[in-house]
């Protein structure tokens, strides 16, 4: 292993009334490519500031090889006191060369003469990148570098980092970005840190190994830590297993949609079945839209069915928001027409995160100050409902201002998903979310019974959630591709004459088993395969029944023992359903493999 150019030994820092983390040893070597992973609130951003030397630790020693330049790319660059973006980039005694700043700014598409106070989040992020890269760092610390960037800018940044001669550490929710670039992983977990010399692509498998080992040793741990391990194992590993089943279902939905759409390049979706026609929720016919003489959308036709998951991708300024507004009826087309189902009831979660008043409590925001939440027609106790969004029970009375940015985003999702709706519109939903919350969002979107429209630059998230991708290139044409981002990217390569063979999205690739002699499932396997779907329906019915009983506001005070028993019964039923689902999915894969 190469000698470290930046190191921290026995690092510890106090936050609030206790240690945020303690006894951390970190060594950064030249050309390290590291992913820093941890839940929201684990201290990732604080650790970056400690490594950069902008914050003093409470204990430990920071060592830097003389002449080593450490540069921190903040998640939210401060523009206070700077008139323009260039003033920000050139501030301080360690200001970079102005010509290098201008060259990088030109390549990532940012006007550095823009007024700093009125600049958008994406413009500020680009200015921060231009300053950080132009400083020619030896160690580059990047906190959510792809937030607010479009696909073209992300591609450019990835190419730059591949050629970068120094070391870097990245905090990011962008799985594709981390998988493509990193060679080792730092995992900040429960006040400690682990390092594994594998890139982010191997992180899931590594964490499952760690949790399995800790579970085997759980008998020697105290009760509190057992509960914490249970929370982590159930909340992370089990969720990933469930999502594998959802990805298999998503692949089936994509295949069905591809069959409806016909050969590549077909814009109109001709559906002849009366039964299918009744499921149409949005129908666009030869839609066109222009602004200032520029054609944004041209001759676009699409029939969106109930249950479709539509992803909209493209660089900034190509018309993604315009297309979204046309499809939801917020904007009228210049030519053609958009027909919306009369029963359409939409919930919109936009990238501005117009959140709640900081002084309000979580209880005020989610349950209007009460103990119960109406979740799409079903009453649930607020603590039980928030648990589904990975909140601890004691958070209900916390003020919004005390929550992290990721926790606020998660709370917004909890509030909005409770509302009755049949159309969900998500505009950049993955900003400020950690990886575990992204898993949760994937799960919620997969289980949503209505139609979903998603505008996102998160390639992995699109590969895991959408059935159709609408790709815009700025010419007015909208490419309609069955599948996710990887499918659209493959289509673009084909259209550009690269001749690449189309590949399915990595996240949903299904391995085709080798041919083998036909054998049958065992008697017990066949019995479970046939009987589990009915058993799962029975469990679901029992959960609905018990939740309806819990909805009685007098039960908690009048019969607390029954209230507790019902809660326990629901938890037991959910655990049984989860095991039944995993067993059936395993048998389904086995049956498919047997032909």
């Amino acid at each position: 292993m190469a000698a470290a150019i930046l190191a921290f030994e026995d690092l510890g820092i106090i936050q609030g009334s206790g240690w945020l983390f303690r006894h951390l040893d970190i060594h950064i070597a030249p050309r390290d490519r590291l992913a820093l992973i941890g839940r929201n609130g684990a201290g990732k951003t604080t650790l970056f500031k400690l490594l950069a030397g902008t914050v003093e630790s409470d204990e430990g020693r920071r060592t830097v090889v003389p002449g080593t330049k450490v540069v921190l790319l903040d998640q939210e660059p401060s523009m206070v006191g700077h008139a323009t973006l260039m003033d920000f980039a050139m501030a301080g005694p360690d200001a970079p060369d102005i010509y290098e700043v201008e060259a990088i700014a030109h390549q990532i598409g940012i006007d550095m003469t823009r007024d700093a106070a009125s600049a958008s989040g994406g413009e500020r992020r680009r200015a921060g990148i231009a300053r950080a890269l132009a400083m020619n760092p030896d160690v580059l610390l990047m906190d959510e570098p792809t937030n607010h960037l479009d696909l073209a800018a992300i591609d450019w940044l990835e190419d730059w980092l591949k050629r970068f001669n120094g070391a870097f550490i990245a905090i990011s929710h962008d799985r594709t970005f981390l998988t493509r670039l990193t060679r080792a992983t730092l995992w900040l977990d429960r006040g400690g840190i682990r390092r594994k010399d594998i890139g982010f692509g191997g992180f899931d498998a590594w964490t499952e190994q760690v949790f399995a080992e800790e579970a085997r040793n759980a008998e020697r741990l105290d009760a509190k830590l057992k509960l914490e391990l249970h929370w982590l194992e159930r909340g992370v590993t089990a969720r990933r297993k469930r999502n594998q089943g959802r990805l298999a279902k998503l692949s089936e939905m994509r295949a069905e949609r591809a069959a409806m759409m016909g050969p590549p390049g077909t814009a109109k979706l001709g559906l002849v079945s009366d039964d299918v026609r009744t499921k149409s929720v949005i129908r666009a016919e030869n839609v066109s839209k222009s602004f200032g003489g520029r054609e944004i959308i041209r001759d676009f036709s699409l029939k969106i069915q109930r249950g479709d998951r539509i992803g909209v991708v493209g660089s900034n300024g190509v018309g993604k928001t315009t297309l979204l507004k046309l499809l939801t009826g917020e904007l009228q087309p210049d030519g053609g027409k958009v027909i919306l189902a009369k029963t359409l009831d939409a919930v919109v979660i936009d990238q501005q995160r117009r959140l709640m008043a900081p002084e309000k409590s979580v209880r005020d925001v989610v349950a209007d100050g009460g103990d119960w939440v109406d979740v799409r027609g079903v009453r649930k106790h607020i603590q039980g409902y928030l648990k589904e969004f990975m909140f601890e029970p004691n958070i209900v009375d916390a003020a919004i201002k005390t929550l992290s940015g990721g926790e606020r985003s998660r709370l917004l999702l909890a509030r909005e998903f409770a509302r009755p709706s049949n159309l969900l519109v998500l505009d950049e939903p993955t900003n400020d979310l950690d990886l575990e919350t992204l898993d949760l969002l994937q799960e919620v979107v997969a289980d949503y019974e209505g139609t979903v429209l998603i505008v996102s630059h998160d390639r992995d998230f699109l590969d895991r959630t959408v059935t159709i991708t609408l790709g815009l290139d700025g010419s007015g044409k909208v490419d309609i591709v069955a599948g996710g981002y990887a499918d659209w990217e493959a289509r673009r390569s084909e259209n550009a004459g690269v001749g690449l063979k189309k590949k399915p999205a990595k996240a949903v690739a299904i391995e085709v088993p080798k041919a083998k002699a036909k054998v049958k499932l065992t008697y017990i396997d066949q019995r479970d395969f046939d009987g589990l779907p009915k058993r799962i329906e029975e469990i679901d019915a029992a959960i609905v029944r018990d939740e309806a009983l819990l909805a009685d506001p007098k039960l908690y005070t009048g019969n607390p023992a029954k209230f507790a028993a019902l809660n326990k019964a629901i938890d037991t039923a959910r655990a049984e359903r989860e095991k039944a689902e995993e067993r059936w999915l395993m048998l389904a894969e086995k049956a498919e493999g047997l032909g």
Side-chain angles (χ1 to χ4, degrees):
M1 182 176 178
I5 56 174
L6 171 63
F8 231 122
E9 296 179 0
D10 204 29
L11 170 61
I13 190 167
I14 295 172
Q15 189 173 86
S17 60
W19 292 93
L20 177 62
F21 41 70
R22 200 176 187 189
H23 304 312
L24 304 191
D25 290 327
I26 301 171
H27 300 84
I28 311 302
R31 292 192 59 79
D32 262 351
R33 273 91 173 93
L34 291 160
L36 177 58
I37 308 301
R39 303 181 72 181
N40 280 346
K44 301 187 297 295
T45 297
T46 300
L47 180 57
F48 262 15
K49 292 177 179 178
L50 289 162
L51 289 171
T54 60
V55 171
E56 292 292 329
S57 65
D58 292 301
E59 62 181 20
R61 184 180 67 176
R62 178 176 180 265
T63 305
V64 184
V65 171
T68 300
K69 184 180 290 185
V70 182
V71 174
L72 171 61
L73 172 60
D74 281 313
Q75 184 173 167
E76 296 292 340
S78 175
M79 301 290 166
V80 176
H82 304 299
T84 67
L85 296 179
M86 182 59 82
D87 290 336
F88 156 77
M90 298 304 298
D94 56 348
D97 183 274
I98 189 170
Y99 297 108
E100 289 197 42
V101 173
E102 289 176 340
I104 293 172
H106 175 72
Q107 292 175 63
I108 59 177
I110 177 64
D111 178 7
M112 298 298 285
T113 64
R114 281 278 287 120
D115 179 70
S118 61
S120 68
E123 290 170 330
R124 294 183 180 205
R125 174 44 50 99
R126 282 175 164 82
I129 290 174
R131 172 184 166 86
L133 303 192
M135 292 177 73
N136 296 314
D138 298 295
V139 179
L140 178 60
L141 309 173
M142 299 178 290
D143 195 350
E144 293 291 355
T146 64
N147 258 12
H148 305 294
L149 295 186
D150 62 12
L151 295 171
I154 294 173
D155 285 341
W156 181 90
L157 180 59
E158 286 180 354
D159 288 340
W160 190 93
L161 289 170
K162 288 174 182 176
R163 301 191 304 270
F164 179 48
N165 287 323
F168 70 75
I169 311 177
I171 300 170
S172 180
H173 67 266
D174 188 331
R175 294 173 183 266
T176 304
F177 179 83
L178 293 178
T179 300
R180 289 181 176 181
L181 294 173
T182 61
R183 300 176 192 157
T185 304
L186 295 172
W187 181 18
L188 192 58
D189 176 43
R190 289 166 283 172
I193 198 163
R194 296 178 173 90
R195 173 167 174 154
K196 186 79 169 178
D197 287 329
I198 56 171
F200 178 76
F203 177 71
D204 284 353
W206 174 36
T207 56
E208 289 183 11
Q209 289 174 358
V210 170
F211 289 142
E213 180 64 28
E214 291 184 348
R216 286 192 289 269
N217 296 330
E219 291 302 319
R220 290 174 286 176
L221 303 177
D222 61 51
K224 182 178 179 181
L225 189 51
K226 284 183 187 178
L227 289 173
E228 187 178 2
L229 285 171
H230 178 76
W231 169 271
L232 286 167
E233 191 174 5
R234 302 285 293 175
V236 181
T237 307
R239 176 170 289 115
R240 288 179 185 141
K241 289 180 180 178
R242 290 197 301 274
N243 282 345
Q244 292 306 309
R246 291 182 171 89
L247 289 174
K249 181 180 178 182
L250 178 65
S251 184
E252 293 176 4
M253 293 169 67
R254 287 176 174 173
E256 292 174 4
R257 227 36 185 107
M260 293 180 189
M261 293 167 65
T266 302
K268 291 186 179 181
L269 306 187
L271 304 176
V272 297
S273 167
D274 287 338
D275 179 59
V276 173
R277 189 179 293 119
T278 61
K279 297 179 181 179
S280 176
V281 293
I282 302 173
R283 190 165 75 248
E285 297 179 357
N286 304 108
V287 169
S288 298
K289 187 68 181 180
S290 299
F291 287 108
R294 177 189 167 202
E295 196 171 39
I296 305 296
I297 306 294
R298 180 180 69 250
D299 194 29
F300 170 68
S301 297
L302 176 67
K303 185 179 288 186
I304 298 177
Q305 307 290 95
R306 185 175 69 242
D308 276 345
R309 280 89 172 95
I310 309 294
V312 183
V313 300
S315 301
N316 286 345
V318 297
K320 299 189 300 296
T321 301
T322 298
L323 179 58
L324 200 65
K325 290 181 177 179
L326 288 167
L327 291 175
T328 57
E330 185 178 343
L331 193 64
Q332 295 302 311
D334 296 333
K337 60 183 178 179
V338 176
I339 303 170
L340 307 179
K342 294 180 180 179
T343 57
L344 211 56
D345 185 8
V347 165
V348 179
I349 301 177
D350 70 15
Q351 59 181 320
Q352 298 302 319
R353 300 287 196 273
R354 287 189 280 267
L355 276 172
M356 330 75 186
E359 300 301 327
K360 284 190 173 183
S361 70
V362 171
R363 187 189 303 275
D364 294 332
V365 168
V366 177
D368 293 325
D371 291 325
W372 299 90
V373 186
D374 288 320
V375 182
R376 297 186 294 279
V378 177
R379 284 176 63 79
K380 295 187 177 183
H381 195 271
I382 183 174
Q383 291 183 335
Y385 180 59
L386 288 176
K387 185 178 178 182
E388 295 176 18
F389 287 82
M390 301 195 309
F391 286 108
E392 296 286 357
N394 58 5
I395 202 164
V396 294
D397 293 313
I400 299 302
K401 64 183 179 182
T402 65
L403 305 182
S404 68
E407 287 173 327
R408 294 188 191 192
S409 295
R410 205 177 337 141
L411 189 65
L412 175 64
L413 295 175
R415 185 185 70 177
E416 296 303 313
F417 278 121
R419 292 174 48 191
S421 67
N422 50 30
L423 174 64
L424 180 63
V425 182
L426 301 171
D427 191 355
E428 290 297 344
T430 63
N431 284 345
D432 300 320
L433 300 184
D434 61 10
L435 294 171
E436 291 171 22
T437 308
L438 279 174
D439 285 340
L440 170 67
L441 180 59
Q442 174 197 338
E443 182 175 331
V444 173
V445 169
D447 291 343
Y448 184 71
E449 294 181 355
T451 303
V452 184
L453 301 178
I454 304 172
V455 174
S456 180
H457 297 129
D458 191 320
R459 297 155 292 183
D460 181 82
F461 180 74
L462 291 171
D463 281 338
R464 292 169 179 263
T465 53
V466 303
T467 55
I468 296 175
T469 298
L470 307 180
L472 291 79
D473 59 9
S475 68
K477 180 186 176 184
V478 180
D479 286 325
I480 304 173
V481 179
Y485 174 84
D487 299 278
W488 173 68
E489 193 173 42
R491 173 71 63 80
R492 281 199 305 169
S493 298
E494 291 174 359
N495 291 343
V498 177
L500 296 177
K501 188 180 255 185
K502 182 177 177 181
K503 297 180 181 179
K506 182 179 179 182
V508 297
I510 298 177
E511 189 175 326
V512 179
K514 296 179 181 179
K516 57 178 74 175
K518 284 193 175 182
V519 292
K520 294 182 179 180
L521 294 172
T522 66
Y523 170 80
I524 295 176
D525 285 351
Q526 189 66 54
R527 181 196 64 190
D528 289 351
F529 184 68
D530 294 336
L532 281 174
K534 182 179 179 181
R535 177 57 187 155
I536 292 170
E537 289 180 3
E538 292 171 350
I539 296 170
D540 284 335
I543 291 173
V544 171
R545 181 197 65 219
D546 289 346
E547 285 183 336
L549 293 173
L550 277 179
D552 181 359
K554 298 179 182 178
L555 180 62
Y556 181 74
T557 55
N559 193 342
K562 184 176 180 181
F563 180 88
L566 285 171
N567 268 308
K568 184 177 180 180
I570 290 171
D571 286 343
T572 301
R574 285 175 176 161
E576 183 185 351
R577 179 181 62 186
E578 186 175 310
K579 289 182 179 179
E581 288 175 342
E582 291 178 6
R583 167 74 171 157
W584 189 87
L585 285 169
M586 183 272 290
L587 291 173
E589 292 177 3
K590 187 175 181 180
E592 183 180 355
L594 296 176

